[in-house]
Amino acid sequence: MELSTLRVLAEQTEQEVREAGEVVRSIRRPEVSAKEGHANFVTSADLASQRYLMEKLAALLPGAGFLAEEGEGSVLPDGPCWVIDPIDGTANFVRGCRRSAISVGLVSGREGLLGVVYNFDSGELFSAVKGGGAFLNGAPIRAAETPLAESLLVFGSSPYYRELLDPTFAVVKRLFCECGDIRRTGSAALDLCDLAAGRYDGFFEARLSPWDYAAASVVIREAGGEICSGRMGLSYAKPAPICAGSGPLFARILAAAEAEGLL
């Protein structure tokens, strides 16, 4: 897909993602129900956001597939596919923590083409297309180059996979001994985009679903950062360990995750 085409599609996607944010914000008392996995929730706002996005995105790119968190699509097709998280950070959303986002990525042939991540509480919208740079509310962003001893690591605890608790925190302990400090916020999509904006220097999660990282992966790469699932890159096909970063911390994340047998 040509860069000019992707840029037009990104502008249209941004508009629909902002509108989906208004759909979410309009639901003042969302119904909450449990899904498979420890403390894994879905709300009526998640479902409304996903319905809206699927309808609008289908019109933007007829024939494209969908891989979405709330039960839409289970196999990544070879052609263009929208990868959607209608609310990333649902637990934060339910508790009013104001650290949640709508994440929409477009992938094709296991390659990230477009990413839009929108924090509907703060109004921050991250966007990127392959070859076109990365932006926050229209302003260019760039990943940081921070010395290791001053760097900030943000991580996910893979709460739905409690069997990964020990190796996850072993990785974090290894890295905490080398970097400046660590953070845990509850929205992987926003963590990854904040890394792209230079607010963090590294990210790690032992198992993360494609809708959590698809959009942000494009933003990170266009901002000059790196993201992978071990030495094999990204496939966007299934949950995987995700390492991302810029500067010297990225290599240390890979080494720590490999040492703990997670890559």
Side-chain angles (χ1 to χ4, degrees), residues 115-201:
V116 175
V117 177
Y118 179 49
N119 183 331
F120 46 81
D121 281 313
S122 70
E124 288 194 328
L125 187 144
F126 299 86
S127 63
V129 298
K130 184 183 178 184
F135 301 88
L136 168 55
N137 289 347
I141 54 175
R142 193 75 182 167
E145 291 286 339
T146 308
L148 181 61
E150 300 170 15
S151 61
L152 284 178
L153 170 75
V154 63
F155 76 102
S157 55
S158 301
Y160 314 142
Y161 307 99
R162 291 299 165 114
E163 69 274 15
L164 297 175
L165 184 152
D166 287 342
T168 290
F169 282 91
V171 168
V172 173
K173 182 178 179 180
R174 286 174 180 265
L175 296 170
F176 181 63
C177 292
E178 300 183 46
C179 72
D181 207 348
I182 58 175
R183 301 287 187 269
R184 166 79 171 99
T185 78
S187 171
L190 288 176
D191 289 345
L192 291 165
C193 287
D194 280 341
L195 189 160
R199 296 167 175 171
Y200 301 129
D201 305 290

